[in-house]
Amino acid sequence: MIDGDRTGNMHEPRKLYVKSFGCQMNVYDSHRMADTLAREGFVETQDPAEADLVILNTCHIREKAAEKVYSELGRLRKQKQEAGSDTMIAVAGCVAQAEGAEIMRRAPVVDLVVGPQSYHRLPELLAEARAGKRVVDTEFPAEDKFDHLPAPTRAATRSRGPAAFVTVQEGCDKFCTFCVVPYTRGAEVSRPVAKIMDEAARLVDQGVREISLIGQNVNAFHGAGPDGTSWSLARLMERMAGIKGLARLRYTTSHPRDMDDDLIAAHRDLPQLMPYLHLPVQSGSDRILAAMNRKHGRDDFFAIIEKMRQARPDMALSSDFIVGFPGESEQDFEDTLDLVRKVGFASAYSFKYSPRPGTPAADHAAQVPEEAKAERLAELQRLLEASKAAFDESCRGRTFDILLEKPGRQAGQLIGRSPYLQSVVVNDPPAAIGDLLTVTITDVGPNSLAGIPAEANDTSVSQSPASSALSRPLAAMEA
Ligand code: 5AD
Ligand code: SF4
């Protein structure tokens, strides 16, 4: 195919392969990088071997995540050598930000290192790299990158499906003692409401039906409103709920400290806001929560959950956990298990504590031995899996809307997402990708559910009150 770039030159389009590691923020950033480079004549490919430019959008949150970058770079070096290709290699994201110089030293194959605040500069940085310079840009520039990152084309939005992310806030001022984010992503900054609204309205106009507002500390959002005052996340979502055609809203990731009453009330008042909340608690032990600098105790967490379930009885929860934080005793760990049993999570992520250079906890004398961490993680994951399985099972026979997102493995199948982000497979649905379909859950598997279109007179759970299965105490879930 022949194509032209914005300079008017006609040539073969250059191919771009972007690989995202880590969180949804990186997925969003990868899209924005691809949108920026589309203007330079790049088209995306799923095959790194045919790419003219490979971007690894990296994650620094745990050591394992950071090490993945170096093994991926090793693979790329081999591939480049074997093919004798001149593919350019760029490293973006949080590892780029945290250890740009180190990447250049350890991986001579890398042409360009670019930190998350400089993505709008990619075209000029690439030009420098193409001229033979090895470029590192990990500045926190004064200008706002969002003002310079182009919006996606209709075709790009379509190819990414009907559920989209919009960044509303970046960075973190909380300084949990285990976490690198305040260092890699910098201080908390919220985008202005008007810019977020424009981006959301454009996405919906291009066919998006569900928007997840994302930020490292999304519920600390305090963007400048059109009236000159600072708007909360709840107020922003109330405004967004007015966008015609936007069927669903979500937000992630939240901190318990910023779970204000107006945000909880938004779950009661906005039908578009899904009854599902990812609220990392990290530990169930007050002692460890204090050492982590989380600035709340386990009872505060229970109180939030209680209020949430009162506001929205069909609310389901997910969370993040860290085991083996320095000084964590058996009793502390038992407290975490107890919290999990009491809350009953629909889903969760759990990790072994990973000391991150430059964070306070990394220098703590009482590091937990690797073996104990591994045992605790296995035990916690058994419990969380039982909790998830019980939640999934409680969905059998229930009726709710799913947003159809992609084709299934077999002909005629489509896969959609439930309000709780479960994948739901439907055979021969009387609907297309991008539609909401009301289904009744007929089967529950380990990774997905199956559903059939509901009878016309069924009501959707997203509008209906409590299901007893959801507020069931977790004692029953350990089986
Ligand atoms: N070690 C282990 N897990 C971590 N997380 C963040 N930092 C670390 C660390 N140093 C986990 C937290 C956070 C999630 C995104 O990653 O649970 O919520
Ligand atoms: Fe990291 Fe804590 Fe900030 Fe979350 S709130 S990004 S865990 S420092």
Side-chain angles (χ1 to χ4, degrees), residues 61-62 178-179 280 282 320-322 351-354 356:
I61 198 101
R62 286 169 293 276
F178 53 82
C179 185
Q282 315 297 359
D320 291 343
F321 295 89
I322 295 177
F351 313 100
K352 286 190 273 187
Y353 169 69
S354 164
R356 306 309 291 130

Side-chain angles (χ1 to χ4, degrees), residues 172-176 178-182 216-217 255 282 294:
C172 181
D173 295 338
K174 295 267 188 313
F175 290 93
C176 299
F178 53 82
C179 185
V180 285
V181 165
Q216 268 98 20
N217 231 295
H255 192 291
Q282 315 297 359
R294 295 289 289 179

Side-chain angles (χ1 to χ4, degrees), residues 76-95:
L76 286 167
R77 180 176 51 88
K78 233 173 120 205
Q79 178 189 307
K80 253 184 93 162
Q81 269 168 356
E82 282 166 8
S85 81
D86 60 355
T87 308
M88 286 208 127
I89 312 280
V91 178
C94 294
V95 181

